[in-house]
Amino acid sequence: SDLDEILSMPINSSMPTRWERKARERSASDRFIPNRKGVNTDLMDLDHKDRENCAPENKNFKSIVAQTLLKGDAQSKILSYSNKAPKPSEAHLNKLRVLYATNRETVRVRKRYRYINSTPERVLDAPDLVDDYYINVLSWSKKNTLAVALGPVIYLWDAASGSIETLCETDSDEDLITAVNFVNDGNFLAVGTTSRDVQIWDVNQKKKVRSMKGHAARVGSLAWNNHILSSGSRDHSIFNHDVRIQNHHIHTYKGHEEEVCGLTWSPDGKQLASGSNDNMCHIWDISNSRPTHTITHNAAVKALSWCPTQRSLLATGAGTADRCIRFINTMNGKVVNSIDTGSQVCSLQWNRQGKQLLSAHGFSKNQLSVWNYPSMVKVADLCGHTSRVLHTALSPDGTHVCSAAADETLRFWKVFEAPHKRKSTTDHYVSSSSKRAIMRSIR
């Protein structure tokens, strides 16, 4: 009993027990907060369900934070959500601003362009296609018929049905077809030959309507202006033929010193652009025999194309020694822009909206290039031809381009978007009654 009484007596010791030491350590700190003496527990008792999205109108919360952090200064701008920070004085100069602005990288916003398929939709063989930069043997009519001259023969390809027909053939294999061009309505085809002849063929009847003599050398370029047919020749001259009358030769343009290899009328029919092997591009008025403006290039000028939406804007392209696409204001004869393409320019085609331009090239890539206008940023290169692309033609709907190259192939590319349909009061094409008059009067 004495032993039990001794054991039940409390033990008086200055040394704390183990559990007392642990309890004392937990009250002073934990693994995340070493010391809780500086913690304001009033802020912890505020009831906020979503702390990250707490409303700034909570006045109780704002007052407690202000008293804790700002020592009761309620005018401080730190907690102001409505007023902006005060502006610096006019005399203040931030010396680091220049340093930061210099080292700041310019953010380039990448423009998105419409995707253009780099693979042709169709490829046709074109045996005996003459590899000659100075002739023009491809034309696409409004009736969706493509005419191509292969040596002495002209073939017609119907784009709708895919059928191929022979329109005509010269009497001799040495008499090559050197130029073809459809009239606006697509019913007649103008033909130039090595034998210095200019012919007009009825496409529907497959019959020659008339033959017009006068040139002293081969005819390599043709251009229609309603009932007026212009022909450019190796004899350096350009003839205007009125196909309605018997004495067809009504005007002659003289100014070139070499073969005329490019010819096209402006959309309004008031100006004629001609390119030649003398490295010159001439702009002619319909009534003058001398050019109104002359633009000098560094090589033969064959590629000519008028902008369909901007009056008096002409795009030109020249040969290997030049390689440039130039944009000319034909009212004053000045070059408004020029870009080096890096290779021979053989042909140019605008889209219907006048916002893009397609160019056909020679060595070394033999590609078709699509450019945005007026920035002249290249959108795409269409490769596939193994020799220089000599000719291009635009489809009637303005979306497809046919390219003819020295590799004896025709390739069809989906290049442009379809133009928006709208009525235009400035359409340069003749009316239906005038077309019928031309058809009845050609002889």
Side-chain angles (χ1 to χ4, degrees):
S1 60
D2 295 337
L3 181 61
D4 294 335
E5 184 179 356
I6 294 173
L7 292 176
S8 62
M9 292 176 61
I11 300 175
N12 295 325
S13 175
S14 60
M15 192 72 179
T17 62
R18 182 173 177 273
W19 64 270
E20 289 177 336
R21 291 197 305 271
K22 289 292 184 182
R24 192 178 300 173
E25 292 175 1
R26 283 197 297 269
S27 64
S29 63
D30 58 25
R31 57 184 298 187
F32 298 109
I33 305 177
N35 188 359
R36 289 184 177 269
K37 292 181 180 181
V39 177
N40 190 339
T41 56
D42 293 336
L43 292 176
M44 300 174 61
D45 294 335
L46 294 175
D47 184 16
H48 293 295
K49 295 181 179 180
D50 190 357
R51 296 178 184 274
E52 298 296 332
N53 299 315
C54 59
E57 291 80 9
N58 193 324
K59 296 180 180 180
N60 189 18
F61 177 78
K62 290 173 62 175
S63 62
I64 294 176
V65 174
Q67 293 176 4
T68 304
L69 299 180
L70 306 175
K71 308 301 181 181
D73 185 9
Q75 301 298 324
S76 174
K77 297 295 183 180
I78 295 178
L79 297 179
S80 176
Y81 293 92
S82 58
N83 299 327
K84 295 182 179 180
K87 294 182 179 180
S89 62
E90 295 182 359
H92 175 73
L93 178 62
N94 187 355
K95 297 181 179 180
L96 296 178
R97 184 174 182 179
V98 177
L99 177 63
Y100 292 153
T102 304
N103 294 334
R104 186 191 311 156
E105 293 184 0
T106 304
V107 179
R108 295 183 179 181
V109 180
R110 184 176 181 180
K111 295 183 179 180
R112 295 190 177 185
Y113 300 111
R114 181 179 57 86
Y115 172 73
I116 299 176
N117 193 352
S118 59
T119 303
E121 292 186 350
R122 184 188 295 265
V123 179
L124 299 178
D125 288 332
D128 299 327
L129 182 71
V130 180
D131 184 6
D132 191 336
Y133 180 81
Y134 304 100
I135 64 177
N136 300 269
V137 294
L138 189 69
S139 183
W140 204 334
S141 76
K142 277 194 168 183
K143 291 191 172 182
N144 212 12
T145 301
L146 185 76
V148 57
L150 305 179
V153 186
I154 296 179
Y155 293 94
L156 301 177
W157 179 73
D158 190 334
S161 63
S163 62
I164 300 175
E165 296 179 324
T166 301
L167 176 65
C168 63
E169 184 175 359
T170 60
D171 297 332
S172 171
D173 291 342
E174 302 298 325
D175 186 11
L176 303 178
I177 305 294
T178 51
V180 294
N181 199 346
F182 277 105
V183 73
N184 294 329
D185 61 5
N187 291 316
F188 296 93
L189 181 69
V191 179
T193 66
T194 305
S195 60
R196 311 180 298 276
D197 198 9
V198 177
Q199 303 172 2
I200 299 178
W201 284 77
D202 188 327
V203 177
N204 301 317
Q205 301 292 331
K206 306 293 187 298
K207 182 177 65 174
K208 183 168 66 174
V209 178
R210 69 179 303 176
S211 178
M212 297 176 289
K213 304 288 186 179
H215 282 293
R218 73 173 187 179
V219 180
S221 55
L222 296 166
W224 286 95
N225 184 13
N226 297 336
H227 56 273
I228 302 297
L229 175 64
S230 301
S231 58
S233 172
R234 185 177 273 181
D235 63 9
H236 315 164
S237 65
I238 301 171
F239 289 175
N240 278 352
H241 309 270
D242 190 336
V243 298
R244 302 171 300 177
I245 59 179
Q246 183 176 2
N247 297 325
H248 55 86
H249 186 186
I250 60 172
H251 199 76
T252 301
Y253 297 117
K254 292 185 178 180
H256 286 295
E257 299 178 357
E258 294 289 341
E259 179 176 9
V260 180
C261 53
L263 209 59
T264 179
W265 281 95
S266 63
D268 59 8
K270 295 181 179 180
Q271 290 184 313
L272 176 69
S274 63
S276 170
N277 196 28
D278 61 4
N279 303 349
M280 299 293 179
C281 173
H282 289 329
I283 308 298
W284 315 79
D285 286 337
I286 192 169
S287 58
N288 294 335
S289 299
R290 292 294 176 182
T292 57
H293 301 291
T294 298
I295 299 90
T296 303
H297 296 64
N298 298 317
V301 184
K302 177 189 178 184
L304 301 170
S305 185
W306 294 90
C307 179
T309 57
Q310 297 188 43
R311 185 182 178 186
S312 305
L313 179 61
L314 175 70
T316 68
T320 307
D322 187 275
R323 306 182 306 274
C324 290
I325 298 175
R326 291 176 173 83
F327 297 92
I328 302 167
N329 183 344
T330 59
M331 297 303 295
N332 54 26
K334 294 184 178 179
V335 178
V336 297
N337 193 10
S338 177
I339 182 169
D340 190 345
T341 65
S343 60
Q344 179 187 56
V345 184
C346 303
S347 183
L348 294 171
Q349 295 288 344
W350 287 92
N351 72 335
R352 299 297 190 204
Q353 295 86 355
K355 298 297 183 181
Q356 287 186 324
L357 182 71
L358 177 135
S359 56
H361 298 276
F363 182 82
S364 61
K365 294 175 63 176
N366 306 312
Q367 85 281 12
L368 299 171
S369 296
V370 183
W371 311 81
N372 278 344
Y373 184 83
S375 65
M376 290 309 290
V377 174
K378 185 182 291 187
V379 179
D381 276 337
L382 309 180
C383 301
H385 286 291
T386 57
S387 296
R388 61 179 178 173
V389 184
L390 296 167
H391 319 284
T392 61
L394 189 64
S395 64
D397 63 0
T399 60
H400 289 74
V401 171
C402 175
S403 59
D407 59 6
E408 298 186 346
T409 62
L410 302 179
R411 297 174 187 262
F412 297 83
W413 315 81
K414 177 69 166 62
V415 180
F416 301 127
E417 288 183 320
H420 300 292
K421 293 183 179 180
R422 61 180 180 180
K423 293 183 179 180
S424 175
T425 58
T426 59
D427 192 356
H428 66 278
Y429 295 114
V430 293
S431 62
S432 58
S433 59
S434 300
K435 293 177 183 178
R436 289 193 295 270
I438 294 174
M439 293 172 60
R440 290 195 300 267
S441 59
I442 290 180
R443 40 175 134 168

